[in-house]
C-alpha cells in the first residue's frame, strides 16, 4: 500500500511520505501565473488605448484623411448609369474644345491641336507670319481678276488672263523661296527634332490671310522669329 502511494509522486519531489512538497515550488508557480496575467492585462490595456476608426475593418490601419477624401471624391465622380456617363463625356469633350479654341486664339501651347504643337511648328508659323507672302493676297487679287474677266471688253479680258498667269507664277516662286529658306533654318535650329511636314505646314499657312490664321500670329511683320 505504501509503495503504491509513493510511486504516484514525481521522482525526487515528495516520493517519501515523510518529506512533503517544498513551499518555494508552490509559491513560484503561483507567482508565475500572476505575472502572466499582469502582462496580458497590460497588452489589452495598450490595445484598448489605440485609436481606430470605427468604420475601418479589424486588423487594417485607418486610412489618412487625404486618401479617404480622394476615395470619396472618386466614388462620387463615378457615373452611375450609361446616360450619365455619355453626358459626362460630352461635357468633357466640349470643355476640351473650348480650351483648344482659346489656345488657338491666344497661342497657349498646352491645348493646341497635335498638328500645331512643338517648337518646330511654332517656328514655322513665326517664319511665315514675320514676312509678306504673295499667296496671302491671292483672294483679293482673284476677286479683281474675276471682275475684269467678266467685262465684255477684249483688252480687259486679256489683261485679266495675263494677271492670272502672273499671280500664279509669283505664288509658286515665293513658295519655293520660302520653303528653301525655312528648311535651311529648321535644319540649323532643330537638328534633333522631327521636322517632317513642317515646310508644307508653313506653306499652307501662307495661303491664308494674316487675320484669318489660326493659331493667331505671335510676331509682327519684319520681326525675326
Amino acid at each position: 500500500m505504501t509503495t503504491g502511494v509513493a510511486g504516484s509522486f514525481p521522482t525526487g519531489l515528495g516520493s517519501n511520505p515523510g518529506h512533503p512538497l517544498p513551499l518555494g515550488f508552490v509559491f513560484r508557480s503561483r507567482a508565475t501565473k500572476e505575472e502572466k496575467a499582469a502582462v496580458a492585462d497590460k497588452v489589452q490595456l495598450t490595445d484598448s488605448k489605440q485609436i481606430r476608426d470605427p468604420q475601418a475593418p479589424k486588423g487594417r490601419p485607418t486610412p489618412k484623411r487625404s486618401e479617404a477624401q480622394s476615395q470619396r471624391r472618386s466614388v462620387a465622380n463615378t457615373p452611375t448609369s450609361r446616360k450619365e456617363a455619355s453626358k459626362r463625356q460630352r461635357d468633357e469633350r466640349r470643355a476640351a474644345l473650348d480650351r483648344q479654341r482659346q489656345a488657338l486664339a491666344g497661342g497657349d501651347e498646352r491645348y493646341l491641336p497635335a498638328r500645331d504643337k512643338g517648337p518646330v511648328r511654332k517656328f514655322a508659323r513665326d517664319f511665315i507670319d514675320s514676312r509678306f507672302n504673295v499667296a496671302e493676297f491671292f483672294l483679293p487679287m482673284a476677286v479683281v481678276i474675276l471682275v475684269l474677266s467678266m467685262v465684255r471688253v477684249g483688252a480687259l479680258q486679256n489683261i485679266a488672263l495675263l494677271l492670272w498667269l502672273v499671280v500664279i507664277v509669283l505664288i509658286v516662286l515665293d513658295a519655293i523661296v520660302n520653303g528653301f529658306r525655312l528648311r535651311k533654318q529648321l535644319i540649323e535650329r532643330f537638328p534633333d527634332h522631327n521636322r517632317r511636314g513642317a515646310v508644307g505646314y508653313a506653306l499652307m499657312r501662307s495661303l491664308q490671310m494674316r487675320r484669318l490664321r489660326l493659331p493667331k500670329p505671335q510676331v509682327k511683320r519684319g520681326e525675326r522669329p
Side-chain angles (χ1 to χ4, degrees):
M1 180 68 68
T2 305
T3 305
V5 175
S8 63
F9 288 95
T11 304
L13 293 177
S15 58
N16 193 344
H19 298 280
L21 292 174
L23 295 177
F25 177 79
V26 178
F27 289 116
R28 193 184 307 118
S29 61
R30 291 181 179 178
T32 304
K33 292 181 180 180
E34 292 178 357
E35 291 176 358
K36 291 182 179 180
V39 172
D41 293 340
K42 288 182 180 180
V43 172
Q44 293 179 0
L45 182 60
T46 304
D47 293 341
S48 62
K49 288 183 178 180
Q50 293 180 351
I51 299 175
R52 185 174 66 85
D53 190 354
Q55 297 181 355
K58 186 177 181 181
R60 186 176 302 175
T62 304
K64 296 181 180 179
R65 179 177 297 179
S66 59
E67 296 177 355
Q69 290 178 354
S70 62
Q71 291 177 359
R72 287 195 297 268
R73 192 179 299 111
S74 62
V75 172
N77 293 333
T78 303
T80 57
S81 62
R82 181 178 300 178
K83 183 177 180 181
E84 184 179 354
S86 61
K87 181 178 181 299
R88 181 166 299 179
Q89 290 178 356
R90 289 196 302 270
D91 294 340
E92 292 177 355
R93 193 182 305 112
R94 188 179 298 109
L97 290 175
D98 291 339
R99 289 195 301 266
Q100 189 177 101
R101 190 179 301 107
Q102 294 175 3
L104 290 173
D108 192 349
E109 287 282 338
R110 295 175 300 173
Y111 304 112
L112 287 176
R115 67 181 181 87
D116 299 315
K117 283 186 177 181
V120 175
R121 297 301 174 99
K122 184 179 186 307
F123 180 82
R125 293 196 301 270
D126 294 342
F127 179 87
I128 294 298
D129 297 337
S130 63
R131 64 190 65 236
F132 288 94
N133 304 279
V134 179
E136 66 179 297
F137 302 105
F138 172 77
L139 186 59
M141 288 187 296
V143 173
V144 173
I145 295 172
L146 184 61
V147 171
L148 291 177
S149 63
M150 294 177 64
V151 178
R152 298 294 182 177
V153 178
L156 292 179
Q157 291 180 351
N158 292 333
I159 293 175
L161 181 60
L162 181 60
L163 288 176
W164 272 119
L165 295 176
V166 171
V167 168
I168 293 174
V169 170
L170 289 177
I171 290 176
V172 172
L173 291 177
D174 187 59
I176 293 174
V177 173
N178 286 337
F180 178 78
R181 291 179 178 177
L182 177 59
R183 183 179 290 105
K184 182 179 178 180
Q185 293 195 23
L186 287 176
I187 294 174
E188 293 176 355
R189 297 191 180 212
F190 308 99
D192 300 329
H193 289 71
N194 183 14
R195 302 181 300 274
R196 185 177 180 181
V199 176
Y201 169 79
L203 295 180
M204 290 298 297
R205 185 177 177 86
S206 67
L207 294 174
Q208 302 172 350
M209 299 181 66
R210 182 181 174 87
R211 66 180 60 186
L212 300 179
R213 293 172 184 170
L214 292 175
K216 293 292 185 181
Q218 302 296 317
V219 295
K220 297 179 180 180
R221 295 188 189 272
E223 183 179 354
R224 296 186 61 181

